[in-house]
Amino acid sequence: MDPRVEEHAEVLVDWSARIEAGDNVVLSVGPDAHELAVAVAERVGERGANLVTTYASGEIDRAYQLGHEGDFDADPAHERALVEHADVCLFIGGGRNTSAAADVPATTREAYNTAHGEIREARMDTDWVKTVHPTRSLAQQANMSFAAYQEFVYDAVLRDWEALADRMANMKTILDEGSEVRLVTEDTDLTMRIAGRQAVNSAASVAYDSHNLPSGEVFTAPTATEGEVHFDVPMTLRGERVQGVHLTFEDGEVVDYAAAQNEGVVGEILETDAGAKRLGELGIGMNRGIDQFTDSILFDEKMGDTIHLALGRAYESNFPAGSEDEANESAVHVDMITDVSEDSYMEVDGEVVQRNGTFRWEDGFSE
Amino acid sequence: MDPRVEEHAEVLVDWSARIEAGDNVVLSVGPDAHELAVAVAERVGERGANLVTTYASGEIDRAYQLGHEGDFDADPAHERALVEHADVCLFIGGGRNTSAAADVPATTREAYNTAHGEIREARMDTDWVKTVHPTRSLAQQANMSFAAYQEFVYDAVLRDWEALADRMANMKTILDEGSEVRLVTEDTDLTMRIAGRQAVNSAASVAYDSHNLPSGEVFTAPTATEGEVHFDVPMTLRGERVQGVHLTFEDGEVVDYAAAQNEGVVGEILETDAGAKRLGELGIGMNRGIDQFTDSILFDEKMGDTIHLALGRAYESNFPAGSEDEANESAVHVDMITDVSEDSYMEVDGEVVQRNGTFRWEDGFSE
């Protein structure tokens, strides 16, 4: 077996999920993620934990959902019982076609997801971690050769996470102590309130309240957003290529929007509900193992030299215990990304903390 | 999709498992059984049932079990909860290597199985059905080309099950009303008591208390076995090729044994426990869609013109409610098969019911 697969499994089991003897583990495996699943199973065994393996196939989901007529049963008891008795849920993505379920009507998919709402909540109550095994289909989505994509994934995943967590702690401290963030790029000048919120040092481990591998971002929940922001990183939203999104905020809410490609998709998202017009997240990408965009939010939003904002739902983890603020609520959480490697800076309370991708505690930083 | 795959799914869901709206279904999928799983998922959706898909991989089992040290936890709560809340469990075998877990020590595998005993019992309490999707690895085990093996599987599975169930009902009646069976072939002359037992018409449907697809056998639980029996069909037992097994019974128990190849394996099986020396099953193969041996008990024992006997555990389904007889108990249930297409007959209470593979109610039967 490729030693990088073994290392990936080790990071997932030990650093990310912190699996211990007696833990009840549900391992969800994509159709082409078999090899990583085998390596993970060995380590789950070595730790003395208990394993149930489920199969996550877009083709099976599609066949089931298209076959089904009428309402979906709410939270089927067997699936619910499995998740409620699990301590850890690991998701290893990796199929043969990222568009496998592309012809399932959005209403059907949403109806299925809504009917499984309590199961999803129960899953989020476990020590869950999401990762991917590099597959040819994901390489294709990233517009990369398979070999290059493998390198890309392992560069992103096989980090010195302890050291990265320490560096990210600097940014968390700045955001925790700050009240206002200002982001400036060539086409962006945006201010957001962050007072009273707590930043999450998302270091790819449940010990850091972080559930993605790779991760490598620090994020908080902004409010009272004012100004304009331009997102120059292309992405696929609802199956469509969206580029050059530009949003104008007043009093925390989007009042104007435009996009160079598929503007209609942005409009649809904004129309979802009241919360979809407000920001749920400000995230600072700090994983320098990720050095190119691959049209996958698992990687793109963690890339060093990027900042992302999400329209919609905010995370509870950004609200300290006892906070009277309410997290922005929405059915959506849509991340959009800006490259900040050039002609850009971020201020917290009037002080520049990042310029052209370099942080204030790093060599080469200029105020 | 190959229309035979669609038909296989239809037989499995409707004839075998009788899936209905609201049923909680667990679908277990082998690594190369994806295509049939997709076809099954569509029909599970169409019936309005609920689906959880699990992944059954010999490589994952091997990695987990070899990684694990010390005792396995007894019946992990998450796996147990899943099965206890399931109405139907479907098992679609089909991997890439039938020897995937060959180097797991038998003691480790047994320890794992023992620790999962209550989960296994709970699974047997559901409407479970076991089938296989034809894979290249199974074709190889059968010593057949892939195309020929596909034909073989679909010939066995895509039967007129209703008509076969009717024909098998004749044999069930004969066995239910009979007291003693005598089996005679060139090297066999064996008598068994079957009085007070009930035969199972195993018509590949939970409605017939039958849990294999394909099936097509009628079986009962014999006792007081006397005489000699020769099994001329080769088989793989505990990873070894075993041929030409010859057993001598006195007072229901094996008192002498021999084999042309790997006799030691037969000895090991007989030494398992007291019940391993006694018969647990007499089965009459009646599926004429199966016309060759493929070294797979799922198919071999159902083949027309064969009779099989199992050493070890008897099935409760052969004991009528209120019966005071006790089913033979053993940790093993090992089927061995005899070709009865030539130079053979079977008598029930002195009357010939099958000669050279032809039953008494069929054309060409000669007393």
Side-chain angles (χ1 to χ4, degrees):
Chain A
M1 195 181 276
D2 186 330
R4 299 173 299 180
V5 177
E6 307 265 8
E7 283 177 65
H8 188 172
E10 200 117 345
V11 171
L12 178 63
V13 166
D14 293 332
W15 172 263
S16 295
R18 313 272 159 143
I19 289 173
E20 293 178 359
D23 280 350
N24 289 333
V25 178
V26 176
L27 172 64
S28 166
V29 182
D32 259 16
H34 178 87
E35 200 182 359
L36 178 57
V38 170
V40 168
E42 184 176 348
R43 279 149 193 86
V44 171
E46 284 170 357
R47 304 300 169 262
N50 304 309
L51 183 66
V52 167
T53 311
T54 61
Y55 187 58
S57 152
E59 290 186 2
I60 285 181
D61 291 348
R62 171 188 179 277
Y64 176 78
Q65 292 180 19
L66 288 183
H68 201 284
E69 285 177 14
D71 293 342
F72 292 100
D73 286 354
D75 299 300
H78 62 331
E79 186 173 2
R80 184 178 183 143
L82 172 67
V83 175
E84 286 182 346
H85 288 83
D87 302 301
V88 176
C89 291
L90 304 178
F91 300 88
I92 308 182
R96 292 170 199 141
N97 174 6
T98 57
S99 303
D103 53 357
V104 177
T107 49
T108 304
R109 199 178 1 235
E110 280 160 23
Y112 181 88
N113 290 340
T114 302
H116 287 68
E118 293 187 13
I119 290 170
R120 193 173 53 248
E121 293 297 318
R123 206 175 275 132
M124 298 298 119
D125 283 343
T126 70
D127 284 339
W128 64 277
V129 183
K130 182 180 167 182
T131 191
V132 295
H133 183 60
T135 66
R136 286 164 179 82
S137 139
L138 291 168
Q140 176 177 325
Q141 172 163 290
N143 193 22
M144 291 169 78
S145 71
F146 180 48
Y149 184 70
Q150 286 179 305
E151 295 247 357
F152 166 80
V153 168
Y154 296 120
D155 281 348
V157 164
L158 305 181
R159 310 302 301 168
D160 180 344
W161 285 104
E162 198 105 45
L164 180 52
D166 284 349
R167 286 198 296 280
M168 292 200 297
N170 294 322
M171 178 52 70
K172 173 174 160 57
T173 302
I174 290 169
L175 293 177
D176 284 350
E177 292 172 354
S179 299
E180 188 173 278
V181 174
R182 181 175 172 214
L183 177 62
V184 180
T185 72
E186 207 182 336
D187 309 298
T188 296
D189 191 344
L190 198 74
T191 58
M192 297 157 273
R193 295 283 300 169
I194 57 164
R197 308 295 163 92
Q198 74 189 358
V200 171
N201 177 349
S202 183
S205 170
V206 297
Y208 287 82
D209 211 354
S210 171
H211 301 274
N212 286 179
L213 176 66
S215 189
E217 61 164 319
V218 177
F219 65 88
T220 189
T223 182
T225 313
E226 297 282 348
E228 299 196 25
V229 55
H230 189 79
F231 301 100
D232 53 3
V233 176
M235 62 205 135
T236 301
L237 295 178
R238 308 194 169 183
E240 305 290 345
R241 190 75 171 171
V242 177
Q243 295 209 55
V245 176
H246 196 90
L247 301 177
T248 306
F249 286 85
E250 277 179 27
D251 201 15
E253 213 169 277
V254 174
V255 293
D256 197 17
Y257 70 93
Q261 191 182 346
N262 277 309
E263 187 175 283
V265 175
V266 180
E268 261 179 45
I269 290 165
L270 290 167
E271 285 308 310
T272 311
D273 48 33
K277 293 189 188 64
R278 298 175 170 275
L279 290 183
E281 182 189 357
L282 157 67
I284 294 117
M286 294 181 65
N287 185 338
R288 290 194 177 124
I290 304 172
D291 60 357
Q292 60 180 297
F293 297 105
T294 57
D295 197 16
S296 161
I297 199 63
L298 182 63
F299 294 87
D300 290 353
E301 67 173 7
K302 283 85 174 193
M303 181 167 156
D305 299 357
T306 68
I307 287 180
H308 60 278
L309 299 168
L311 289 170
R313 193 176 59 252
Y315 296 112
E316 288 296 338
S317 51
N318 290 132
F319 294 78
S323 166
E324 288 182 10
D325 291 359
E326 284 188 5
N328 190 38
E329 284 186 19
S330 173
V332 298
H333 178 100
V334 178
D335 293 288
M336 300 182 182
I337 304 170
T338 296
D339 185 333
V340 294
S341 61
E342 287 179 2
D343 299 326
S344 78
Y345 61 92
M346 188 177 92
E347 287 178 355
V348 176
D349 295 341
E351 217 176 334
V352 177
V353 299
Q354 183 185 28
R355 184 184 297 278
N356 300 337
T358 305
F359 295 99
R360 61 176 305 116
W361 61 86
E362 294 182 315
D363 288 349
F365 175 78
S366 63
E367 191 81 30
Chain B
M1 193 180 277
D2 185 330
R4 299 174 300 179
V5 177
E6 307 266 8
E7 283 178 63
H8 188 172
E10 199 117 347
V11 172
L12 179 63
V13 166
D14 293 331
W15 172 263
S16 295
R18 313 269 159 144
I19 290 173
E20 292 178 359
D23 280 351
N24 289 331
V25 178
V26 177
L27 172 64
S28 166
V29 182
D32 259 15
H34 178 86
E35 200 183 358
L36 178 56
V38 170
V40 168
E42 184 177 348
R43 278 147 194 88
V44 171
E46 284 170 356
R47 304 300 168 264
N50 304 308
L51 184 66
V52 168
T53 311
T54 61
Y55 187 58
S57 152
E59 291 186 1
I60 286 181
D61 291 347
R62 171 188 180 277
Y64 176 78
Q65 291 181 20
L66 288 183
H68 200 283
E69 286 177 15
D71 293 342
F72 291 100
D73 286 355
D75 298 301
H78 62 330
E79 186 173 2
R80 184 178 182 142
L82 171 67
V83 175
E84 285 181 347
H85 288 83
D87 302 302
V88 175
C89 290
L90 304 178
F91 300 89
I92 308 181
R96 292 169 198 142
N97 173 7
T98 58
S99 301
D103 53 357
V104 177
T107 49
T108 304
R109 197 175 6 229
E110 281 160 23
Y112 180 87
N113 290 341
T114 303
H116 287 69
E118 293 187 14
I119 290 171
R120 194 173 51 250
E121 293 297 318
R123 206 176 275 131
M124 296 300 119
D125 283 344
T126 69
D127 285 339
W128 65 276
V129 182
K130 182 179 167 183
T131 192
V132 295
H133 183 60
T135 66
R136 286 163 179 82
S137 141
L138 291 168
Q140 176 177 324
Q141 172 162 290
N143 193 24
M144 290 168 80
S145 71
F146 180 49
Y149 185 71
Q150 286 178 305
E151 295 248 355
F152 167 80
V153 168
Y154 296 120
D155 281 348
V157 164
L158 305 181
R159 311 301 302 167
D160 180 344
W161 285 104
E162 197 105 46
L164 181 51
D166 285 348
R167 286 198 295 280
M168 294 200 296
N170 294 321
M171 179 52 72
K172 172 173 161 58
T173 302
I174 291 169
L175 293 177
D176 283 350
E177 291 172 355
S179 299
E180 189 174 276
V181 173
R182 182 175 172 213
L183 178 62
V184 179
T185 73
E186 207 181 336
D187 308 298
T188 297
D189 192 343
L190 197 75
T191 58
M192 297 156 274
R193 295 282 301 167
I194 57 164
R197 308 293 163 93
Q198 74 189 358
V200 170
N201 177 350
S202 182
S205 169
V206 297
Y208 286 82
D209 211 354
S210 172
H211 301 275
N212 286 179
L213 178 65
S215 189
E217 61 164 320
V218 177
F219 65 89
T220 188
T223 182
T225 314
E226 297 282 349
E228 300 195 23
V229 56
H230 190 79
F231 301 100
D232 53 3
V233 177
M235 61 205 135
T236 300
L237 295 178
R238 306 189 171 189
E240 306 288 347
R241 190 75 170 172
V242 177
Q243 295 209 54
V245 176
H246 196 91
L247 302 177
T248 306
F249 285 85
E250 278 179 25
D251 202 16
E253 211 170 277
V254 174
V255 294
D256 197 17
Y257 69 94
Q261 193 184 344
N262 277 310
E263 187 173 284
V265 174
V266 180
E268 262 178 44
I269 289 165
L270 289 167
E271 286 307 312
T272 311
D273 48 34
K277 293 188 188 64
R278 298 176 170 275
L279 290 184
E281 183 188 357
L282 157 66
I284 293 115
M286 294 180 66
N287 184 337
R288 291 196 175 122
I290 304 172
D291 60 357
Q292 61 179 298
F293 298 105
T294 56
D295 197 15
S296 162
I297 199 63
L298 182 63
F299 294 88
D300 291 354
E301 68 172 8
K302 282 85 174 194
M303 181 168 156
D305 299 358
T306 68
I307 287 179
H308 60 278
L309 299 168
L311 290 169
R313 192 176 59 255
Y315 296 111
E316 287 297 339
S317 51
N318 290 132
F319 294 78
S323 167
E324 289 182 6
D325 291 0
E326 284 188 4
N328 190 39
E329 284 188 19
S330 173
V332 297
H333 178 100
V334 178
D335 293 287
M336 300 181 181
I337 303 170
T338 296
D339 184 334
V340 294
S341 62
E342 287 181 2
D343 299 326
S344 78
Y345 60 93
M346 188 177 92
E347 288 178 356
V348 176
D349 296 341
E351 217 176 333
V352 177
V353 300
Q354 182 186 28
R355 184 183 297 279
N356 299 338
T358 305
F359 295 99
R360 63 175 304 116
W361 62 86
E362 294 182 315
D363 287 347
F365 174 78
S366 64
E367 192 80 30

